[in-house]
């Protein structure tokens, strides 16, 4: 009996047909990716939030579900119990009396958020909380887990945000004030013109002497210069008044200093 060889072209066509059947005939599924913080601290007696987010390649449908379960601290993973179930905008509490009326929906599936609120956290709430999401056809995925620790207020980490904000604002205000004061001082020095000079009142003639052979004294001893410690005054112009009424150059003229004009800075 003679064997016939198969045509390679037929094999290629057959392989392509099988591949297309697999692609279009089978509905492929993808795993949902879930995210949750590893640890959450909640003050005793307050409301805490257990966050859970996810990624799905499918559009969120009405068949999507969220399940939260709880495993007490120190217990095996097999002892986990369901405490919350959510689907089609309806939520159903679990049968655990410990969480009765204390678990509330806080997420939004359209935003890929599956978080819940835990009201009036208690010390016996310490343990591991698992979040599982199904969005058909994405039905597989590993649940995200969060370790909850209920502590007293003193054990909570201190929030230094307010202190840092106040310190930064104070530093900024201080720099602004220093800049304003510096600008005012510079501007004042630029617009201030200091006059430095000397004024003196001397006798009209250095050769004329008073009766008795004494040289007439100056109304001011020498010259007095303006000082930086006193207010700046503009130059003063003086004039000498002659009351003798004679034109004899050899006679003594009675002179007295009189302020003729006083020029001051505006």
């Amino acid at each position: 009996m003679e064997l016939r060889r198969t045509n390679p072209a037929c094999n290629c066509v057959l392989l392509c047909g099988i591949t297309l059947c697999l692609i279009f005939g089978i509905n492929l599924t993808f795993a949902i990716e879930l995210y949750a913080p590893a640890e959450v601290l909640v003050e005793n007696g307050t409301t805490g939030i257990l966050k859970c987010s996810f990624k799905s390649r499918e559009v969120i449908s009405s068949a999507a579900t969220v399940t939260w379960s709880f495993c007490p601290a120190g217990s095996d993973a097999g002892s986990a119990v369901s405490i919350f179930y959510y689907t089609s905008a309806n939520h159903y509490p679990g049968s655990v009396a410990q969480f009765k009326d204390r678990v509330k929906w806080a997420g939004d599936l359209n935003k890929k958020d599956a978080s819940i609120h835990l009201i009036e956290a208690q010390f016996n709430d310490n343990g591991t909380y698992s979040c599982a999401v199904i969005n058909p056809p994405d039905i597989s995925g590993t649940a995200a887990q969060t370790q909850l620790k209920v502590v007293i207020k003193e054990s909570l980490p201190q929030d230094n945000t307010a202190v840092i904000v106040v310190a930064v604002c104070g530093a900024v205000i201080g720099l602004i004030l220093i800049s304003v004061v510096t600008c005012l001082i510079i501007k004042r020095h630029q617009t201030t013109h200091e006059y430095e000079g000397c004024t003196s009142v001397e006798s009209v003639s250095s050769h004329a002497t008073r009766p008795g052979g004494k040289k007439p004294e100056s109304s001011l001893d020498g010259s007095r210069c303006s000082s930086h410690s006193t207010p700046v005054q503009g130059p003063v112009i003086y004039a000498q008044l002659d009351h003798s009424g004679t034109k004899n150059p050899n006679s003594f003229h009675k002179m007295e200093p009189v302020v003729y004009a006083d020029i001051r800075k505006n």
Side-chain angles (χ1 to χ4, degrees):
M1 183 177 178
E2 185 179 357
L3 296 175
R4 295 182 179 180
R5 291 185 179 181
T6 58
N7 191 346
C10 295
N11 292 337
C12 183
V13 172
L14 181 61
L15 181 61
C16 291
I18 294 173
T19 303
L20 292 174
C21 290
L22 290 175
I23 293 176
F24 294 102
I26 298 177
N27 192 2
L28 300 178
T29 61
F30 298 93
I32 292 181
E33 300 176 7
L34 293 105
Y35 308 92
E39 184 180 76
V40 174
L41 298 180
V42 179
E43 182 184 350
N44 181 39
T46 64
T47 298
I49 183 170
L50 301 176
K51 295 184 178 181
C52 177
S53 59
F54 63 93
K55 287 184 178 180
S56 176
R57 293 175 176 84
E58 298 294 328
V59 177
I60 303 301
S61 65
S62 59
T65 63
V66 177
T67 304
W68 278 88
S69 58
F70 168 70
C71 181
S75 302
D76 296 333
S79 60
V81 292
S82 179
I83 62 172
F84 186 83
Y85 182 79
Y86 179 90
T87 183
S88 301
N90 297 315
H91 56 86
Y92 305 92
S95 58
V96 182
Q98 175 184 342
F99 296 98
K100 184 179 180 180
D101 299 329
R102 295 179 52 227
V103 181
K104 301 295 182 182
W105 176 248
D108 186 348
L109 290 183
N110 293 325
K111 297 180 180 180
K112 312 294 179 64
D113 186 2
S115 305
I116 59 173
H117 282 303
L118 180 60
I119 302 172
E120 295 181 0
Q122 305 169 3
F123 292 112
N124 58 351
D125 294 335
N126 289 338
T128 303
Y129 292 78
S130 300
C131 169
V133 178
I134 294 177
N135 181 38
D138 293 347
I139 58 176
S140 62
T142 303
Q145 294 184 342
T146 297
Q147 190 74 22
L148 175 66
K149 292 183 179 180
V150 180
V151 297
I152 59 177
K153 184 177 181 180
E154 288 75 13
S155 300
L156 292 174
Q158 298 296 327
D159 187 6
N160 297 326
T161 303
V163 178
I164 295 174
V165 171
V166 172
V168 172
C169 292
V172 172
I173 294 175
L175 291 175
I176 293 175
L177 291 177
I178 293 175
S179 301
V180 171
V181 172
T182 304
C183 291
L184 291 176
I185 293 175
I186 294 175
K187 184 176 181 180
R188 184 174 181 181
H189 278 286
Q190 289 178 346
T191 56
T192 302
H193 301 284
E194 296 181 354
Y195 293 95
E196 294 182 359
C198 300
T199 58
S200 62
V201 179
E202 300 177 352
S203 58
V204 176
S205 176
S206 59
H207 301 285
T209 56
R210 292 185 179 180
K214 293 183 179 181
K215 185 179 179 180
E217 297 181 356
S218 173
S219 59
L220 297 177
D221 297 334
S223 62
R224 299 177 182 178
C225 301
S226 59
S227 174
H228 292 287
S229 61
T230 58
V232 179
Q233 177 178 324
V236 180
I237 299 176
Y238 292 89
Q240 301 291 335
L241 298 182
D242 183 3
H243 298 281
S244 62
T246 177
K247 298 182 179 179
N248 188 358
N250 295 326
S251 63
F252 173 74
H253 299 280
K254 183 179 180 181
M255 313 292 288
E256 69 177 62
V258 176
V259 176
Y260 185 78
D262 187 1
I263 303 176
R264 299 178 183 272
K265 186 185 72 172
N266 292 332

